[in-house]
Amino acid sequence: QVQLVESGGGLVQAGDSLRLSCAASGRTRNSYRTGWFRQAPGMEREFVAAISGGGGSTNYADSVKGRFTISRDNAKNTVYLQMNSLKPEDTAVYYCAARNPQTGPVVAPGTYDYWGQGTQVTVSS
């Protein structure tokens, strides 16, 4: 099993920045692709960003391109999401997830095997 723990959420104003962290423990594998998803109240969970196990390949939702950056430090078993120029519509619970690199489209939550508990991000206008 793999355990994922998110941190770094909080309450900020529009235009501010936050950096989320996702720390992995247990039977971690550097080959695991890791993604960030978010879910606002009453909405479905949506894809935000993903990164390959080695860090050489990244994917972003159109809504966050140019503002968010995903990265990883495999020596620390940690994946980061740097969020700049935050907007009120970025308000949501943010989850990290990990999966085997061969299983399906990276944007689909159902293809991920392991999930964290989430961290709240609130952006005020």
Side-chain angles (χ1 to χ4, degrees):
Q1 290 292 325
V2 175
Q3 293 79 42
L4 303 174
V5 177
E6 303 95 335
S7 62
L11 171 63
V12 297
Q13 294 186 330
D16 285 351
S17 298
L18 277 176
R19 188 177 79 157
L20 305 184
S21 298
C22 172
S25 62
R27 300 183 66 179
T28 59
R29 296 288 186 273
N30 289 341
S31 59
Y32 283 158
R33 184 175 292 271
T34 304
W36 285 97
F37 292 78
R38 66 187 181 187
Q39 189 167 20
M43 304 293 286
E44 292 188 353
R45 192 166 297 188
E46 65 171 354
F47 170 77
V48 175
I51 188 167
S52 60
S57 174
T58 57
N59 305 85
Y60 295 94
D62 287 343
S63 59
V64 307
K65 279 182 182 176
R67 299 189 298 124
F68 290 12
T69 302
I70 190 170
S71 62
R72 69 189 303 152
D73 184 342
N74 284 340
K76 296 181 179 180
N77 290 328
T78 301
V79 173
Y80 304 98
L81 185 68
Q82 177 67 43
M83 307 186 294
N84 298 330
S85 302
L86 282 162
K87 304 175 181 180
E89 50 263 44
D90 295 318
T91 295
V93 177
Y94 283 71
Y95 300 89
C96 70
R99 60 169 232 179
N100 184 288
Q102 284 81 31
T103 54
V106 298
V107 301
T111 66
Y112 287 76
D113 302 302
Y114 307 102
W115 290 85
Q117 293 300 306
T119 185
Q120 176 70 47
V121 172
T122 303
V123 185
S124 64
S125 58

